[in-house]
């Protein structure tokens, strides 16, 4: 797992990040409120949407039926909101030696649709730190999922359980 913290990346299928901000391998006591990150990018494909529909059973025609979606207010197929949120979790390089669990996702707001072949990234800020015991603490983040035009598509608060010291 890279110690890189993430910063902006170009809008391509998948890109790697630069360093600056939250160090995902840092000890809990080295983190501070206000630290920021930007993730790698990912382009949302038709196969992503089809696979998500098959996996979840969510085959709403807005996502899977081009003819139906063409007559919808969006004018074309869009990705499932929960797919975008799920992809965002995968874009953030949560270090398994530090991040023990994704504890809470709250206050999720879907601001605008993500069309097929659009590219997303996660921009975030560390908003709170709460020690639980000698072994772990809670780390809260505000996530903004943005598209290739830097438009906000989803916002959410995310809380993770963070190991305080290496094993």
């Amino acid at each position: 797992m890279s110690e890189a913290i993430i910063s902006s990346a170009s809008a391509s299928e998948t890109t790697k990040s630069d360093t600056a901000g939250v160090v995902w391998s840092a000890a809990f006591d080295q983190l501070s409120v206000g630290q920021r990150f930007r993730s790698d990018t990912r382009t949302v494909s038709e196969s992503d949407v089809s696979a998500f529909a098959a996996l979840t059973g969510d085959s709403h025609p807005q996502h899977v039926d081009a003819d139906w979606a063409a007559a919808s207010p969006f004018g074309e197929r869009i990705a499932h909101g929960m797919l975008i949120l799920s992809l965002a979790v995968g874009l953030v390089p949560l270090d398994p030696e530090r991040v023990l669990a994704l504890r809470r996702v709250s206050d999720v707001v879907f601001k605008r649709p993500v069309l097929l072949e659009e590219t997303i990234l996660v921009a975030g800020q560390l908003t709170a730190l709460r020690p639980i015991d000698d072994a772990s603490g809670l780390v809260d983040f505000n996530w903004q999922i943005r598209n290739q035009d830097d438009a906000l598509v989803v916002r959410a608060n995310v809380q993770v359980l963070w190991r305080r010291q290496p094993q």
Side-chain angles (χ1 to χ4, degrees):
M1 174 70 55
S2 168
E3 288 195 20
I5 314 166
I6 30 192
S7 66
S8 63
S10 65
S12 61
E13 179 64 30
T14 301
T15 61
K16 294 299 174 190
S17 60
D18 298 323
T19 60
V22 177
V23 176
W24 298 102
S25 61
F28 179 85
D29 296 329
Q30 295 173 321
L31 299 172
S32 60
V33 171
Q35 288 178 311
R36 296 179 178 274
F37 70 90
R38 278 177 85 84
S39 76
D40 291 346
T41 62
R42 175 172 174 141
T43 300
V44 181
S45 69
E46 180 174 5
S47 62
D48 291 331
V49 171
S50 297
F52 191 82
L55 180 66
T56 64
D58 181 353
S59 295
H60 190 285
Q62 185 67 66
H63 309 300
V64 299
D65 184 331
D67 292 333
W68 189 96
S72 77
F74 298 113
E76 61 187 292
R77 292 172 57 197
I78 62 172
H80 304 75
M82 293 304 292
L83 169 60
I84 299 307
L85 189 58
S86 298
L87 292 173
V89 172
L91 286 171
V92 177
L94 304 172
D95 184 338
E97 296 301 318
R98 288 293 179 188
V99 178
L100 302 171
L102 181 64
R103 184 169 184 266
R104 176 178 294 146
V105 177
S106 63
D107 301 319
V108 177
V109 179
F110 299 98
K111 300 295 288 181
R112 61 180 39 87
V114 174
L115 306 177
L116 303 185
E117 302 308 318
E118 285 194 332
T119 299
I120 61 168
L121 63 78
V122 183
Q125 181 173 11
L126 197 155
T127 57
L129 294 162
R130 287 185 292 285
I132 295 175
D133 54 31
D134 290 341
S136 61
L138 296 174
V139 181
D140 293 356
F141 293 95
N142 172 268
W143 283 10
Q144 295 184 354
I145 305 169
R146 296 187 166 274
N147 68 14
Q148 68 282 346
D149 299 321
D150 204 37
L152 179 65
V153 296
V154 180
R155 69 173 184 242
N157 294 320
V158 177
Q159 184 178 73
V160 298
L161 182 64
W162 200 284
R163 184 186 321 265
R164 293 190 74 179
Q165 298 300 325
Q167 284 191 327

